[in-house]
Amino acid sequence: MPVLLTGALLLLSGAAVVACAVVIALLGRARPRPTARILAAAAGLLGCLAAAVYCGGRLSVTLGGPFPALCEDVNMSGAPLEGLRQEYWPLRNACLYADGSSVEHLPPSVNVFVMGAAVLAAATACAAVFVSRRTRSALVRAA
């Protein structure tokens, strides 16, 4: 993915996170509270948050970031630096040493956060659809 596209997606998803948070705040003040719409906005918020964090990490990896500079020429056991490994999914940066050890510089918690937010976004979207359909069927039965 080109750097320009990644940067644009980062800005777009960051703006979408703010917009979803504002929508949730406005929907939370409405009486009666539209539960399905709040859940849909929360799904959008979580999905855009996951995209923003992932795009930020990917942009950092693509631009070289601080990662290669953090690799030491020789590790604590005296093994020389053999190479670098960069993976975009899961987002991972590692310094590889001759003795087989590696030092990761992008914590796995970033991947856990991205995957967790994406799963929660999907679950919340499904809940929004379920609540919306249940509300519609209840209204049809009442009429």
Side-chain angles (χ1 to χ4, degrees):
M1 188 182 306
V3 175
L4 188 59
L5 179 61
T6 305
L9 286 174
L10 176 62
L11 290 175
L12 184 64
S13 55
V17 166
V18 173
C20 287
V22 169
V23 167
I24 290 172
L26 292 175
L27 287 173
R29 293 182 179 175
R31 299 277 186 230
R33 289 190 173 85
T35 308
R37 290 180 183 172
I38 291 174
L39 287 173
L45 174 80
L46 290 168
C48 291
L49 187 61
V53 171
Y54 180 75
C55 286
R58 186 173 172 115
L59 192 62
S60 175
V61 170
T62 303
L63 295 176
F67 162 61
L70 294 176
C71 292
E72 303 205 9
D73 294 333
V74 178
N75 69 359
M76 298 291 279
S77 64
L81 180 67
E82 194 171 85
L84 304 172
R85 181 176 61 199
Q86 295 181 329
E87 296 175 10
Y88 293 112
W89 191 258
L91 203 53
R92 179 174 294 152
N93 297 319
C95 304
L96 304 174
Y97 292 96
D99 63 355
S101 64
S102 65
V103 177
E104 289 194 11
H105 290 286
L106 188 64
S109 59
V110 172
N111 285 327
V112 170
F113 178 79
V114 169
M115 289 184 225
V119 166
L120 282 174
T124 308
C126 290
V129 169
F130 176 75
V131 168
S132 175
R133 287 187 179 172
R134 195 172 116 204
T135 304
R136 273 193 225 141
S137 66
L139 289 175
V140 169
R141 277 189 245 141

